[in-house]
């Protein structure tokens, strides 16, 4: 086993604000704290839309701007994602790849055969979830896949082949949950690896550090009203509409909850059509449900607040918080007025949100599928850290009523159980130690065998070049 400290390069496509990005940041921080040298390479890093550790010097981030767009007329995202990563990989190979002992790659696997073949270094791939299963909307286990057009099938076939062919080239493959590991193995027929589960961990200290109530960021979101909190990117697949519908049902059902508000906080990128459409649909749902709302961004944010009618600035029923700061996140999670964290996505691959809530002692309400079934204890009641229910507004409203009416004794007991579970299973230290063992195992494998990789590399390059030239005509 390798005993010296490692020089590790992380390769991540878009270092914005999201669960995958939070994992990368915390993994890098954890490995750094163990004495390893860590650099992060990315094709996109907006200083005004990222986690603070990536811009304040805590982590070394190398932003390599590609000459390629993210898409053409809102299409071909995955094709250009592969191409942009290859550009990033070429830059890395020609500048600094030689100085690293091992590469840690996540989300996109395109670069793996190139790093192994041309750099002769071992690669660990962290699988969040196969893209091929997300191309036609949210993945639902045991449900037949949606029918798609012939043209889209033709487009997706080489993309799906590319994902599987390059993923299988990794030396070791990790998954963020047993759910992801099982689904990946069942849909990648050529995959012979045994996927090891390494749960995402969080920097516990960042969530429990004292909050200054006079901080301007805190004052912007603070309220004496009892609060239900949801932390998720503004994407359709996150299903934040479930939280609004359940909240509206609760308010109509129980007059004693008239003082309760809902805060929907998450990453919002005005470049992404999905983010724009999601926010618009959620506001329309709030209006049709007779709920007042407001939209805010952090004071230092350069993202303009989208314009919508009938804004209620003072104590709205729903507060939409776009691109929250670390301080705002911690303040909302720690606030005595916060009753619970609502985690709305179904079949989520892992979901860091429930862990963030549990470390702050909050009850969690989540869907009864995917990763949350591994992080949350629903039964027996004396071991409960949250509730797992099917994503139906009336069912969730009933659970919210129970949460709002918890006795102080029951709330304190549940809060302690949640904290204990999060600290024991999902701390950054536990994740960092697991990653360290895997990375050391990869390095100890010795020289890379290059047999058979030339074919994969040439196929990847030929495929991407052909596709870019073929679809480049759409920009004219």
């Amino acid at each position: 086993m390798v005993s010296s400290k490692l020089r590790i390069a992380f390769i991540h496509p878009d270092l914005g604000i999201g669960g995958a990005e939070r994992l990368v940041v915390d993994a890098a921080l954890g490995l750094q704290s163990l004495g390893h040298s860590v650099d992060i390479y990315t094709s996109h890093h907006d200083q005004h839309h990222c986690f603070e550790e990536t811009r304040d010097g805590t982590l070394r981030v190398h932003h390599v701007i590609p000459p390629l767009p993210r898409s053409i007329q809102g299409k071909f995202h995955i094709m250009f994602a592969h191409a942009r990563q290859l550009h990033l990989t070429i830059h890395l190979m020609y500048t600094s790849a030689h100085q690293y002992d091992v590469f840690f790659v996540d989300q996109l696997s395109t670069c793996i055969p190139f790093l192994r073949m041309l750099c002769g270094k071992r690669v660990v791939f962290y699988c969040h979830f196969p893209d091929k299963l997300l191309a036609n909307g949210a993945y639902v286990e045991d449900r037949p896949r949606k029918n798609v057009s012939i043209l889209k099938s033709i487009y997706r076939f080489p993309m799906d082949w590319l994902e599987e062919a390059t993923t299988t080239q990794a030396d070791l493959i990790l998954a963020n949950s047993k759910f992801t590991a099982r689904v990946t193995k069942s849909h990648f027929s050529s995959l012979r690896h045994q996927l090891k589960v390494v749960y995402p961990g969080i920097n516990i200290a960042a969530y429990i550090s004292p909050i200054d109530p006079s901080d301007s960021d805190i004052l912007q979101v603070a309220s004496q009203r009892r609060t239900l909190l949801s932390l998720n990117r503004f994407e359709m697949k996150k299903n934040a509409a479930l939280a609004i519908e359940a909240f509206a049902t609760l308010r109509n059902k129980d007059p004693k909850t008239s003082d309760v508000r809902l805060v929907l906080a998450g990453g919002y990128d005005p470049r992404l059509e999905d983010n724009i459409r999601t926010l618009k649909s959620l506001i329309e749902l709030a209006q049709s449900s007779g709920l007042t709302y407001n939209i805010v961004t952090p004071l230092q944010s350069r993202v303009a607040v989208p314009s919508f009618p009938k804004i209620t600035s003072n104590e709205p029923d729903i507060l939409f918080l776009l691109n929250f700061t670390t301080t705002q996140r911690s303040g909302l999670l720690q606030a005595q007025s916060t009753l619970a964290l609502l985690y709305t996505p179904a079949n989520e691959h892992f979901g860091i949100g429930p862990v963030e809530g549990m470390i702050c002692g909050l009850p969690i309400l989540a869907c009864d599928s995917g990763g949350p079934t591994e992080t949350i204890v629903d039964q027996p009641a004396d071991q409960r850290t949250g509730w797992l229910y099917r994503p139906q507004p009336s069912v969730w409203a009933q659970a919210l009523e129970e949460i709002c009416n918890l006795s102080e004794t029951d709330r304190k007991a549940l809060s302690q159980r949640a904290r204990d579970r999060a600290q024991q299973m999902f701390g950054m230290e536990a994740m960092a130690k697991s990653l360290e063992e895997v990375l050391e195992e990869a390095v100890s494998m010795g020289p890379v065998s290059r047999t058979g990789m030339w074919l994969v590399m040439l196929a990847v390059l030929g495929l991407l070049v052909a596709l870019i030239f073929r679809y480049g005509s759409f920009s004219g």
Side-chain angles (χ1 to χ4, degrees):
M1 186 62 70
V2 178
S3 58
S4 60
K5 297 306 179 184
L6 299 175
R7 296 164 297 174
I8 308 162
F10 278 52
I11 299 176
H12 183 80
D14 188 335
L15 205 57
I17 297 177
E21 290 70 40
R22 188 67 251 174
L23 178 140
V24 167
V25 169
D26 287 335
L29 290 171
L31 289 167
Q32 232 175 227
S33 72
L34 294 175
H36 302 290
S37 173
V38 179
D39 289 87
I40 301 176
Y41 289 83
T42 183
S43 297
H44 183 80
H45 184 227
D46 184 346
Q47 293 283 330
H48 304 287
H49 184 73
C50 62
F51 290 111
E52 292 174 19
E53 298 94 333
T54 68
R55 65 168 178 258
D56 65 6
T58 304
L59 294 171
R60 289 192 300 272
V61 175
H62 305 267
H63 180 196
V64 181
I65 301 174
L68 299 164
R70 294 168 63 94
S71 64
I72 292 178
Q73 297 179 358
K75 299 184 182 298
F76 314 120
H77 288 89
I78 187 62
M79 181 187 72
F80 281 104
H82 288 306
R84 285 158 66 93
Q85 189 180 71
L86 280 185
H87 170 267
L88 178 64
T89 306
I90 292 169
H91 170 88
L92 178 57
M93 289 191 299
Y94 274 98
T95 57
S96 53
H98 62 278
Q99 72 185 38
Y100 300 107
D101 300 308
V102 63
F103 295 101
F104 181 94
V105 178
D106 80 309
Q107 282 199 327
L108 281 174
S109 54
T110 325
C111 62
I112 293 174
F114 297 90
L115 294 173
R116 296 185 76 243
M117 185 72 186
L118 300 179
C119 301
K121 303 294 178 68
R122 297 292 178 176
V123 179
V124 174
F125 181 65
Y126 193 97
C127 178
H128 298 279
F129 206 73
D131 179 75
K132 66 185 288 186
L133 301 180
L134 301 174
N136 301 312
Y139 172 79
V140 180
E141 195 170 17
D142 299 326
R143 181 182 295 179
R145 297 179 70 178
K146 295 179 181 178
N147 292 325
V148 297
S149 67
I150 294 177
L151 283 177
K152 184 163 186 179
S153 296
I154 293 172
Y155 167 64
R156 282 301 313 188
F157 179 80
M159 297 294 101
D160 296 345
W161 174 87
L162 180 63
E163 181 183 23
E164 183 168 343
T166 53
T167 296
T168 58
Q169 293 293 312
D171 294 291
L172 295 170
I173 303 178
L174 309 178
N176 56 9
S177 66
K178 296 174 184 175
F179 171 73
T180 294
R182 183 180 70 252
V183 171
T184 301
K185 283 284 287 185
S186 66
H187 286 86
F188 281 7
S189 59
S190 63
L191 186 60
R192 299 292 178 258
H193 296 67
Q194 289 300 319
L195 278 69
K196 179 178 180 180
V197 175
V198 175
Y199 288 125
I202 62 173
N203 182 4
I204 293 173
Y207 289 82
I208 61 177
S209 57
I211 297 298
D212 179 4
S214 64
D215 187 296
S216 58
D217 280 343
I218 295 296
L219 292 174
Q220 189 181 28
V221 299
S223 174
Q224 294 301 312
R225 297 177 67 177
R226 292 187 293 169
T227 299
L228 299 171
L229 176 63
S230 172
L231 301 175
N232 262 314
R233 292 190 304 276
F234 286 93
E235 297 176 352
M236 287 292 186
K237 67 182 181 182
K238 298 301 183 181
N239 195 25
L242 173 62
I244 295 178
E245 291 171 335
F247 177 61
T249 302
L250 172 71
R251 291 281 296 268
N252 291 331
K253 180 180 179 183
D254 186 355
K256 293 184 295 183
T257 61
S258 60
D259 67 319
V260 179
R261 68 167 181 163
L262 173 65
V263 176
L264 297 177
Y268 177 86
D269 189 338
R271 299 174 303 157
L272 303 179
E273 182 63 28
D274 185 24
N275 286 194
I276 296 170
R277 288 189 294 106
T278 298
L279 180 61
K280 182 175 183 292
S281 67
L282 293 175
I283 288 174
E284 289 173 349
L285 179 58
Q287 291 174 320
S288 65
S289 301
L291 299 168
T292 60
Y293 70 93
N294 192 16
I295 311 168
V296 298
T297 60
L299 299 177
Q300 68 271 32
S301 174
R302 293 195 177 183
V303 174
V305 176
S307 178
F308 287 95
K310 300 181 180 178
I311 291 285
T312 300
S313 301
N314 186 37
E315 295 291 352
D317 297 323
I318 301 178
L319 178 66
F320 293 94
L321 172 58
L322 314 184
N323 301 326
F324 55 82
T325 65
T326 299
T327 299
Q328 288 174 327
R329 178 202 63 195
S330 298
L332 287 166
L333 287 168
Q334 293 183 35
Q336 291 186 348
S337 58
T338 302
L339 300 177
L341 185 134
L342 282 55
Y343 196 71
T344 54
N347 290 282
E348 186 72 359
H349 323 139
F350 174 74
I352 200 68
V355 178
E356 293 177 316
M358 287 195 299
I359 200 62
C360 295
L362 290 178
I364 311 298
L365 175 57
C367 296
D368 57 351
S369 60
T373 64
E374 299 173 40
T375 56
I376 300 165
V377 177
D378 178 73
Q379 295 292 336
D382 62 353
Q383 297 177 27
R384 171 177 289 157
T385 63
W387 285 258
L388 295 168
Y389 283 112
R390 64 183 184 275
Q392 184 175 324
S394 60
V395 175
W396 273 49
Q398 186 174 345
L400 289 177
E401 186 174 18
E402 182 178 354
I403 291 170
C404 289
N405 293 314
L406 278 175
S407 69
E408 191 63 26
T409 300
D410 288 344
R411 186 175 294 277
K412 285 183 177 179
L414 191 153
S415 178
Q416 190 58 54
R417 291 194 298 268
R419 287 192 176 95
D420 291 344
R421 181 172 175 80
Q423 289 175 348
Q424 292 166 10
M425 294 187 63
F426 307 109
M428 189 169 70
E429 294 79 6
M431 175 182 66
K433 289 297 292 182
S434 295
L435 290 178
E436 180 183 54
E437 292 174 4
V438 172
L439 291 164
E440 288 179 342
E441 180 184 350
V443 173
S444 69
M445 289 178 173
V448 175
S449 172
R450 298 173 179 178
T451 304
M453 280 195 289
W454 280 111
L455 181 60
V456 174
M457 288 173 51
L458 290 173
V460 171
L461 279 174
L463 176 64
L464 286 173
V465 169
L467 287 171
I468 289 172
F469 274 106
R470 167 66 181 85
Y471 293 113
S473 60
F474 283 87
S475 62

